[in-house]
mmCIF file of all heavy atoms in Angstrom:
data_model
loop_
_atom_site.group_PDB
_atom_site.id
_atom_site.type_symbol
_atom_site.label_atom_id
_atom_site.label_comp_id
_atom_site.label_asym_id
_atom_site.label_seq_id
_atom_site.Cartn_x
_atom_site.Cartn_y
_atom_site.Cartn_z
ATOM 1 N N GLU A 1431 -7.323 -4.244 -2.975
ATOM 2 C CA GLU A 1431 -8.728 -4.641 -3.233
ATOM 3 C C GLU A 1431 -9.323 -5.563 -2.222
ATOM 4 O O GLU A 1431 -9.425 -5.247 -1.044
ATOM 5 C CB GLU A 1431 -8.775 -5.247 -4.703
ATOM 6 C CG GLU A 1431 -10.165 -5.208 -5.290
ATOM 7 C CD GLU A 1431 -10.500 -6.482 -6.030
ATOM 8 O OE1 GLU A 1431 -9.684 -7.426 -6.106
ATOM 9 O OE2 GLU A 1431 -11.576 -6.557 -6.618
ATOM 10 N N ASP A 1432 -9.748 -6.786 -2.619
ATOM 11 C CA ASP A 1432 -10.688 -7.574 -1.879
ATOM 12 C C ASP A 1432 -10.254 -7.860 -0.427
ATOM 13 O O ASP A 1432 -11.069 -7.906 0.461
ATOM 14 C CB ASP A 1432 -10.903 -8.959 -2.554
ATOM 15 C CG ASP A 1432 -11.858 -8.801 -3.742
ATOM 16 O OD1 ASP A 1432 -12.435 -7.711 -3.918
ATOM 17 O OD2 ASP A 1432 -12.039 -9.786 -4.421
ATOM 18 N N ALA A 1433 -8.972 -8.184 -0.203
ATOM 19 C CA ALA A 1433 -8.566 -8.558 1.114
ATOM 20 C C ALA A 1433 -8.377 -7.370 2.077
ATOM 21 O O ALA A 1433 -8.065 -7.575 3.249
ATOM 22 C CB ALA A 1433 -7.170 -9.285 1.003
ATOM 23 N N VAL A 1434 -8.639 -6.156 1.604
ATOM 24 C CA VAL A 1434 -8.503 -4.941 2.461
ATOM 25 C C VAL A 1434 -9.908 -4.471 2.839
ATOM 26 O O VAL A 1434 -10.737 -4.238 1.988
ATOM 27 C CB VAL A 1434 -7.744 -3.911 1.686
ATOM 28 C CG1 VAL A 1434 -7.647 -2.571 2.551
ATOM 29 C CG2 VAL A 1434 -6.411 -4.354 1.249
ATOM 30 N N LYS A 1435 -10.140 -4.333 4.175
ATOM 31 C CA LYS A 1435 -11.449 -3.939 4.653
ATOM 32 C C LYS A 1435 -11.738 -2.446 4.164
ATOM 33 O O LYS A 1435 -10.855 -1.673 3.911
ATOM 34 C CB LYS A 1435 -11.450 -3.957 6.157
ATOM 35 C CG LYS A 1435 -11.408 -5.378 6.732
ATOM 36 C CD LYS A 1435 -11.533 -5.350 8.259
ATOM 37 C CE LYS A 1435 -11.575 -6.739 8.822
ATOM 38 N NZ LYS A 1435 -11.702 -6.765 10.322
ATOM 39 N N THR A 1436 -13.049 -2.151 4.098
ATOM 40 C CA THR A 1436 -13.466 -0.915 3.559
ATOM 41 C C THR A 1436 -12.811 0.259 4.295
ATOM 42 O O THR A 1436 -12.358 1.215 3.691
ATOM 43 C CB THR A 1436 -15.022 -0.797 3.663
ATOM 44 O OG1 THR A 1436 -15.595 -1.827 2.814
ATOM 45 C CG2 THR A 1436 -15.475 0.576 3.113
ATOM 46 N N GLU A 1437 -12.850 0.145 5.621
ATOM 47 C CA GLU A 1437 -12.287 1.268 6.423
ATOM 48 C C GLU A 1437 -10.799 1.362 6.344
ATOM 49 O O GLU A 1437 -10.221 2.330 6.880
ATOM 50 C CB GLU A 1437 -12.745 1.094 7.912
ATOM 51 C CG GLU A 1437 -12.198 -0.165 8.616
ATOM 52 C CD GLU A 1437 -13.104 -1.378 8.487
ATOM 53 O OE1 GLU A 1437 -13.975 -1.373 7.540
ATOM 54 O OE2 GLU A 1437 -12.994 -2.264 9.330
ATOM 55 N N LYS A 1438 -10.074 0.364 5.707
ATOM 56 C CA LYS A 1438 -8.690 0.449 5.581
ATOM 57 C C LYS A 1438 -8.208 0.790 4.158
ATOM 58 O O LYS A 1438 -6.980 0.832 3.900
ATOM 59 C CB LYS A 1438 -8.100 -0.978 5.941
ATOM 60 C CG LYS A 1438 -8.276 -1.367 7.392
ATOM 61 C CD LYS A 1438 -7.269 -0.659 8.264
ATOM 62 C CE LYS A 1438 -7.288 -1.204 9.695
ATOM 63 N NZ LYS A 1438 -6.593 -2.501 9.799
ATOM 64 N N LYS A 1439 -9.114 1.100 3.279
ATOM 65 C CA LYS A 1439 -8.771 1.330 1.885
ATOM 66 C C LYS A 1439 -7.750 2.475 1.707
ATOM 67 O O LYS A 1439 -6.720 2.405 1.055
ATOM 68 C CB LYS A 1439 -10.000 1.601 1.046
ATOM 69 C CG LYS A 1439 -10.977 0.464 0.912
ATOM 70 C CD LYS A 1439 -10.363 -0.672 0.026
ATOM 71 C CE LYS A 1439 -11.404 -1.740 -0.244
ATOM 72 N NZ LYS A 1439 -10.825 -2.869 -1.036
ATOM 73 N N GLU A 1440 -8.056 3.625 2.402
ATOM 74 C CA GLU A 1440 -7.181 4.774 2.260
ATOM 75 C C GLU A 1440 -5.854 4.522 2.882
ATOM 76 O O GLU A 1440 -4.772 4.931 2.391
ATOM 77 C CB GLU A 1440 -7.872 5.994 2.837
ATOM 78 C CG GLU A 1440 -9.066 6.388 2.008
ATOM 79 C CD GLU A 1440 -9.723 7.740 2.519
ATOM 80 O OE1 GLU A 1440 -9.097 8.352 3.393
ATOM 81 O OE2 GLU A 1440 -10.756 8.153 1.993
ATOM 82 N N ALA A 1441 -5.927 3.799 4.011
ATOM 83 C CA ALA A 1441 -4.638 3.497 4.722
ATOM 84 C C ALA A 1441 -3.753 2.545 3.917
ATOM 85 O O ALA A 1441 -2.544 2.700 3.871
ATOM 86 C CB ALA A 1441 -4.917 2.821 6.094
ATOM 87 N N ALA A 1442 -4.351 1.671 3.166
ATOM 88 C CA ALA A 1442 -3.631 0.691 2.333
ATOM 89 C C ALA A 1442 -2.959 1.480 1.187
ATOM 90 O O ALA A 1442 -1.809 1.251 0.829
ATOM 91 C CB ALA A 1442 -4.513 -0.365 1.792
ATOM 92 N N ARG A 1443 -3.749 2.418 0.621
ATOM 93 C CA ARG A 1443 -3.215 3.175 -0.518
ATOM 94 C C ARG A 1443 -1.978 4.019 -0.061
ATOM 95 O O ARG A 1443 -0.941 4.015 -0.683
ATOM 96 C CB ARG A 1443 -4.275 4.111 -1.072
ATOM 97 C CG ARG A 1443 -3.890 4.900 -2.267
ATOM 98 C CD ARG A 1443 -4.887 5.988 -2.612
ATOM 99 N NE ARG A 1443 -6.236 5.380 -2.781
ATOM 100 C CZ ARG A 1443 -7.338 5.892 -2.284
ATOM 101 N NH1 ARG A 1443 -7.281 6.940 -1.498
ATOM 102 N NH2 ARG A 1443 -8.475 5.323 -2.508
ATOM 103 N N GLN A 1444 -2.151 4.694 1.060
ATOM 104 C CA GLN A 1444 -1.060 5.509 1.571
ATOM 105 C C GLN A 1444 0.114 4.640 2.020
ATOM 106 O O GLN A 1444 1.305 5.016 1.871
ATOM 107 C CB GLN A 1444 -1.541 6.408 2.709
ATOM 108 C CG GLN A 1444 -0.478 7.400 3.159
ATOM 109 C CD GLN A 1444 -0.007 8.377 2.043
ATOM 110 O OE1 GLN A 1444 -0.809 8.904 1.278
ATOM 111 N NE2 GLN A 1444 1.333 8.522 1.941
ATOM 112 N N GLY A 1445 -0.229 3.496 2.625
ATOM 113 C CA GLY A 1445 0.828 2.600 3.002
ATOM 114 C C GLY A 1445 1.670 2.127 1.856
ATOM 115 O O GLY A 1445 2.931 2.065 1.996
ATOM 116 N N LEU A 1446 1.062 1.863 0.759
ATOM 117 C CA LEU A 1446 1.858 1.418 -0.449
ATOM 118 C C LEU A 1446 2.723 2.533 -0.937
ATOM 119 O O LEU A 1446 3.933 2.357 -1.344
ATOM 120 C CB LEU A 1446 0.901 0.989 -1.562
ATOM 121 C CG LEU A 1446 1.571 0.486 -2.841
ATOM 122 C CD1 LEU A 1446 2.564 -0.605 -2.641
ATOM 123 C CD2 LEU A 1446 0.513 0.051 -3.880
ATOM 124 N N VAL A 1447 2.226 3.773 -0.917
ATOM 125 C CA VAL A 1447 3.033 4.928 -1.346
ATOM 126 C C VAL A 1447 4.282 5.051 -0.424
ATOM 127 O O VAL A 1447 5.435 5.229 -0.903
ATOM 128 C CB VAL A 1447 2.222 6.208 -1.241
ATOM 129 C CG1 VAL A 1447 3.103 7.433 -1.399
ATOM 130 C CG2 VAL A 1447 1.147 6.221 -2.354
ATOM 131 N N ASP A 1448 4.059 4.977 0.854
ATOM 132 C CA ASP A 1448 5.134 5.108 1.856
ATOM 133 C C ASP A 1448 6.208 3.971 1.631
ATOM 134 O O ASP A 1448 7.391 4.220 1.710
ATOM 135 C CB ASP A 1448 4.624 5.071 3.257
ATOM 136 C CG ASP A 1448 3.740 6.288 3.563
ATOM 137 O OD1 ASP A 1448 3.862 7.265 2.797
ATOM 138 O OD2 ASP A 1448 2.932 6.193 4.502
ATOM 139 N N ILE A 1449 5.699 2.775 1.500
ATOM 140 C CA ILE A 1449 6.635 1.561 1.337
ATOM 141 C C ILE A 1449 7.439 1.722 0.016
ATOM 142 O O ILE A 1449 8.609 1.501 -0.004
ATOM 143 C CB ILE A 1449 5.817 0.257 1.345
ATOM 144 C CG1 ILE A 1449 5.251 -0.002 2.668
ATOM 145 C CG2 ILE A 1449 6.674 -0.866 0.843
ATOM 146 C CD1 ILE A 1449 4.200 -1.056 2.678
ATOM 147 N N ALA A 1450 6.756 2.103 -1.080
ATOM 148 C CA ALA A 1450 7.444 2.277 -2.349
ATOM 149 C C ALA A 1450 8.551 3.302 -2.290
ATOM 150 O O ALA A 1450 9.642 3.086 -2.849
ATOM 151 C CB ALA A 1450 6.442 2.599 -3.484
ATOM 152 N N LYS A 1451 8.240 4.464 -1.593
ATOM 153 C CA LYS A 1451 9.249 5.519 -1.529
ATOM 154 C C LYS A 1451 10.438 5.089 -0.645
ATOM 155 O O LYS A 1451 11.539 5.604 -0.942
ATOM 156 C CB LYS A 1451 8.570 6.746 -0.953
ATOM 157 C CG LYS A 1451 7.628 7.448 -1.972
ATOM 158 C CD LYS A 1451 7.013 8.671 -1.331
ATOM 159 C CE LYS A 1451 6.127 9.462 -2.278
ATOM 160 N NZ LYS A 1451 5.548 10.702 -1.736
ATOM 161 N N ALA A 1452 10.201 4.234 0.327
ATOM 162 C CA ALA A 1452 11.251 3.908 1.311
ATOM 163 C C ALA A 1452 12.050 2.667 0.975
ATOM 164 O O ALA A 1452 13.034 2.389 1.639
ATOM 165 C CB ALA A 1452 10.602 3.740 2.704
ATOM 166 N N THR A 1453 11.625 1.952 -0.092
ATOM 167 C CA THR A 1453 12.227 0.621 -0.327
ATOM 168 C C THR A 1453 12.967 0.578 -1.614
ATOM 169 O O THR A 1453 12.395 1.122 -2.671
ATOM 170 C CB THR A 1453 11.127 -0.454 -0.343
ATOM 171 O OG1 THR A 1453 10.393 -0.413 0.911
ATOM 172 C CG2 THR A 1453 11.776 -1.847 -0.499
ATOM 173 N N ASP A 1454 14.128 -0.020 -1.661
ATOM 174 C CA ASP A 1454 14.876 -0.330 -2.906
ATOM 175 C C ASP A 1454 14.479 -1.688 -3.257
ATOM 176 O O ASP A 1454 14.918 -2.637 -2.632
ATOM 177 C CB ASP A 1454 16.364 -0.132 -2.703
ATOM 178 C CG ASP A 1454 17.152 -0.410 -3.956
ATOM 179 O OD1 ASP A 1454 16.536 -0.769 -4.983
ATOM 180 O OD2 ASP A 1454 18.410 -0.362 -3.881
ATOM 181 N N PHE A 1455 13.721 -1.889 -4.343
ATOM 182 C CA PHE A 1455 13.318 -3.235 -4.715
ATOM 183 C C PHE A 1455 14.268 -3.985 -5.574
ATOM 184 O O PHE A 1455 14.060 -5.130 -5.925
ATOM 185 C CB PHE A 1455 11.915 -3.101 -5.422
ATOM 186 C CG PHE A 1455 10.777 -2.645 -4.561
ATOM 187 C CD1 PHE A 1455 10.486 -1.295 -4.532
ATOM 188 C CD2 PHE A 1455 10.136 -3.528 -3.724
ATOM 189 C CE1 PHE A 1455 9.437 -0.857 -3.702
ATOM 190 C CE2 PHE A 1455 9.104 -3.151 -2.873
ATOM 191 C CZ PHE A 1455 8.795 -1.776 -2.878
ATOM 192 N N GLY A 1456 15.338 -3.337 -6.000
ATOM 193 C CA GLY A 1456 16.322 -4.026 -6.828
ATOM 194 C C GLY A 1456 15.759 -4.560 -8.101
ATOM 195 O O GLY A 1456 15.023 -3.794 -8.837
ATOM 196 N N ASP A 1457 16.008 -5.820 -8.394
ATOM 197 C CA ASP A 1457 15.422 -6.498 -9.610
ATOM 198 C C ASP A 1457 14.013 -6.954 -9.434
ATOM 199 O O ASP A 1457 13.397 -7.441 -10.410
ATOM 200 C CB ASP A 1457 16.328 -7.671 -10.009
ATOM 201 C CG ASP A 1457 17.757 -7.232 -10.474
ATOM 202 O OD1 ASP A 1457 17.829 -6.086 -10.939
ATOM 203 O OD2 ASP A 1457 18.638 -7.979 -10.291
ATOM 204 N N THR A 1458 13.457 -6.849 -8.238
ATOM 205 C CA THR A 1458 12.133 -7.327 -7.983
ATOM 206 C C THR A 1458 11.118 -6.294 -8.578
ATOM 207 O O THR A 1458 11.186 -5.099 -8.302
ATOM 208 C CB THR A 1458 11.864 -7.560 -6.491
ATOM 209 O OG1 THR A 1458 12.759 -8.538 -6.022
ATOM 210 C CG2 THR A 1458 10.428 -7.972 -6.244
#
């Protein structure tokens, strides 16, 4: 949301998808 520039919205969304798929968050 707010801290992400308009032109970066789609990149942020896809970035979160990529990070979530690649990361084992354990108990976090």
Side-chain angles (χ1 to χ4, degrees):
E1431 202 219 3
D1432 282 354
V1434 179
K1435 292 184 177 181
T1436 300
E1437 63 270 20
K1438 294 283 190 74
K1439 294 291 187 182
E1440 293 184 6
R1443 183 191 304 135
Q1444 187 58 47
L1446 180 56
V1447 170
D1448 295 341
I1449 290 167
K1451 288 181 175 180
T1453 306
D1454 180 1
F1455 293 96
D1457 292 332
T1458 298

